[in-house]
Amino acid sequence: MTPDSQDRPQCANSDALASSFSASYAGVVAFIAVATEGSFARAGDRLGIGRSAVSRSVQKLEAQLGTRLFLRTTRSTTLTREGELFYRNCHPGVERIVQALEDMRDLREGPPRGQLRISATVGFGRRIVAPLLSGFRERYPNIAVDLLLDDRTTDFSAERVDVAFRNGRMEDSQIIAKQLIPMPMLICASPTYRHTHGLPRQVEDLAAHNCINFRTASGRIFEWEFKVGGRIQKFLPSSTCTFNDEELVLQAVLDGQGIAQMAGYQISEHLRTGRLVACLAQYAPDDRGHYLCYLSRQQLPARIRVFIDFMTAGIRALDLQCATGLTPILPVPASKVSAAFTASVA
């Protein structure tokens, strides 16, 4: 016997099963409707089809089962003994299917409820997202929240994530990315450091300062970025300290150990209170942002829609626009800055 001939009976059985299911499903639904309503006409009204269509579906089911399911007279329609047995066996399954359909409709249109899995980078998630969750849970107590903090790029499918917060520039065209706020990147120092060492007035001055670097989740050192002559330039300074945690970078700067380039959401409060000062603001890149990401705009469950709306309003209400009102140091000509970048790379 060849492998093909061995496979043939299984394929035939699968086709028979598929054919049987497709033929019987409509009959079972029609049968349950007639049994529940006690009439073919009322069953048709409930299903939104004609009486004759209901009758044909039931007749096909009876032929498939090889037994009569109803006793029909001009005045009544009642179940046979076999019909009663079949009804008892089928009814729970059909009820579960109906309930499943209603549950899906409720998730889309009803009061928000269910499990919501969220992903965010460690720094932004801890400092911005997590504090807003208590207000969200208070407003929507039937939504259970699962927050994952990870600096790696989110895999929506593998990690079963509903919504993700991402920072920087969005290059993934497969997801919907809604910018919440811009993400200014500023060079900062403590007043103590400024008093002792001064501040860089141009990019080439960074080589003379104690720089503190951040190591990303991939293991590489985060490159400082500046916008020079309308173009993004990257710069990797020599560092006195390197950390793989953004909070440790911030704390080192607050302690006066050096200067670092940090995101606005980390430093806005410290800039307002004077615990930090910023410099080189005229070269801050302006094409970064904080984004709320999800896979599709279509058929979003209510729990995801209300979370998106709540977080968008909540984050935009925070005063994180730390670059506003900064007095920029007089810029150096772009040609000189570009030369400084070339020298630093070399």
Side-chain angles (χ1 to χ4, degrees), residues 203 228-229 231 233 283 332-345:
V203 176
V228 181
R231 299 179 60 186
Q233 302 269 9
Y283 299 121
V332 178
S335 58
K336 186 173 182 180
V337 178
S338 296
F341 272 103
T342 303
S344 68
V345 173

Side-chain angles (χ1 to χ4, degrees), residues 220-251:
R220 69 177 182 84
I221 303 298
F222 177 78
E223 295 176 297
W224 297 14
E225 293 188 352
F226 302 92
K227 192 170 185 179
V228 181
R231 299 179 60 186
I232 294 296
Q233 302 269 9
K234 293 188 176 183
F235 176 73
L236 185 59
S238 299
S239 65
T240 56
C241 290
T242 299
F243 301 100
N244 69 345
D245 184 278
E246 291 177 341
E247 291 298 315
L248 293 179
V249 173
L250 173 61
Q251 190 59 53

Side-chain angles (χ1 to χ4, degrees), residues 94 101 132 171 176 187 207 212 222 236-237 242 296 298 316:
V94 173
L101 293 172
L132 291 172
E171 299 175 354
I176 307 301
I187 307 297
I212 300 172
F222 177 78
L236 185 59
T242 299
S296 174
Q298 303 299 318
R316 287 178 177 173

